[in-house]
Amino acid sequence: MAIALFGTGLLGGAIASRLLEGEQELWVWNRTAKRCQSLIQAGARTAPTAQEVAGKADWLVTVLSDGPSTEALLLGELDQQLAGRGVIQIATIAPEQSQALAAGVAERGGRYLEAPVLGSKPEALVGRLQLMAGGEPEVFAAAEPLLKQLSEAPRHLGPVGSAMACKLALNQLIASLTHAFSLSLHLVQRSGVDVESFMEILRGSALYAPTFDKKLERELQGDYANPNFPTAHLRKDLALFLEASQAAGLNGEGLKGLLQLLQRSSDAGLDGLDYCALHALTAGHGAGKAPH
């Protein structure tokens, strides 16, 4: 089996590194070629164009930043290379975008599986991503040996769109929990409450989520460098969640203010930093430490 992976950024590069530990041949491609160099040195192969890379593989794995860039690659540049090949699309995109991609790939003679993941670089490197898949059962079965290199227990959730809806639901919780904890942490600090006393009470309650301790030190230090999941991606996914919830007839008005807050991260220079940099936004205008 030969695999072609497109998109060697933070998550894609880690997935590629994991796949290099397997026995299959791995081809990689990125619009910025230098982002492939460390993978090539580790044993991956590449070619000058995305079309040439796709032509070498049985499975095409895409880990791009959003739906439009994924569509441009798959249904544009790789149009003629899709026939007879399987596509595993990992980026978090809207359910309807994924369904449109599935239809386009099928029209070109390919097979499509959406496979968004929960987790980032650390989990990808050791094959412990939580992977949820949407697509035809037979496509999932064919892709399962590859998926099990990335996840100990990949889950097939249903048709195309179902896994993306699940991923957006999970990422909405990331945004909401981070926001809620940040506000609470700021308030207890400004009220003179000892942070560890607050945390001990929180840890002993039903309100506790492990992510609070995971991000606590970063938020206390104002250190948001070396992200596993950047703030810009959190904003993008929250916007997608709101669109999907509206299409499902839900009332997501309570989240609109959080999205508006995250829309300030670009001007604040936080887009490329870890998503807990949201803590700098909840501090108020001119408050808190400058983001690193």
Side-chain angles (χ1 to χ4, degrees):
M1 178 171 61
I3 301 168
L5 184 140
F6 300 86
T8 57
L10 189 67
L11 178 60
I15 288 175
S17 293
R18 176 65 179 176
L19 292 174
L20 279 171
E21 297 179 10
E23 297 180 357
Q24 68 279 323
E25 183 179 290
L26 179 67
W27 291 76
V28 294
W29 185 85
N30 194 287
R31 292 196 189 282
T32 304
K34 66 180 180 180
R35 289 191 174 183
C36 294
Q37 289 307 307
S38 63
L39 293 167
I40 293 168
Q41 292 170 1
R45 304 177 70 180
T46 192
T49 67
Q51 294 92 333
E52 291 176 79
V53 168
K56 305 291 186 180
D58 306 296
W59 287 96
L60 313 180
V61 180
T62 60
V63 198
L64 304 182
S65 59
D66 54 30
S69 60
T70 304
E71 180 181 357
L73 175 72
L74 286 175
L75 306 187
E77 294 178 68
L78 302 186
D79 176 64
Q80 300 298 315
Q81 281 74 30
L82 296 180
R85 293 188 168 90
V87 172
I88 299 174
Q89 200 296 108
I90 292 178
T92 303
I93 64 176
E96 62 269 21
Q97 288 177 319
S98 192
Q99 290 162 347
L101 283 175
V105 170
E107 288 172 1
R108 291 160 176 78
R111 300 173 294 166
Y112 178 90
L113 190 76
E114 62 182 18
V117 298
L118 194 63
S120 189
K121 182 177 178 179
E123 294 81 11
L125 289 172
V126 295
R128 291 179 183 169
L129 292 166
Q130 292 196 56
L131 187 149
M132 53 214 91
E136 296 296 330
E138 58 269 24
V139 182
F140 176 76
E144 197 167 12
L146 190 164
L147 301 179
K148 283 186 173 179
Q149 296 181 58
L150 308 179
S151 172
E152 293 176 334
R155 296 173 182 265
H156 182 239
L157 298 183
V160 174
S162 59
M164 286 301 167
C166 184
K167 180 57 163 48
L168 290 177
L170 291 164
N171 280 17
Q172 182 274 132
L173 287 173
I174 294 174
S176 292
L177 286 169
T178 303
H179 181 234
F181 179 66
S182 173
L183 281 172
S184 292
L185 182 60
H186 277 309
L187 182 61
V188 297
Q189 285 184 287
R190 294 185 186 189
S191 301
V193 177
D194 177 67
V195 170
E196 186 54 31
S197 295
F198 165 69
M199 291 303 300
E200 287 176 359
I201 296 169
L202 179 58
R203 293 182 190 113
S205 75
L207 305 173
Y208 178 71
T211 188
F212 299 157
D213 267 312
K214 183 179 179 181
K215 298 299 183 182
L216 176 61
E217 194 59 30
R218 276 183 175 266
E219 292 174 345
L220 291 176
Q221 298 299 322
D223 182 4
Y224 313 121
N226 302 312
N228 286 325
F229 184 48
T231 306
H233 289 185
L234 184 66
R235 180 179 63 245
K236 181 259 297 182
D237 292 351
L238 183 61
L240 291 175
F241 175 86
L242 281 167
E243 292 172 7
S245 64
Q246 182 177 12
L250 303 174
N251 186 338
E253 288 180 356
L255 290 174
K256 291 181 180 178
L258 177 52
L259 180 59
Q260 290 172 354
L261 183 65
L262 283 167
Q263 287 168 343
R264 299 178 187 173
S265 78
S266 296
D267 289 342
L270 304 176
D271 274 4
L273 302 180
D274 190 85
Y275 67 87
C276 69
L278 173 59
H279 193 58
L281 298 175
T282 59
H285 297 293
K289 294 185 177 182
H292 291 208

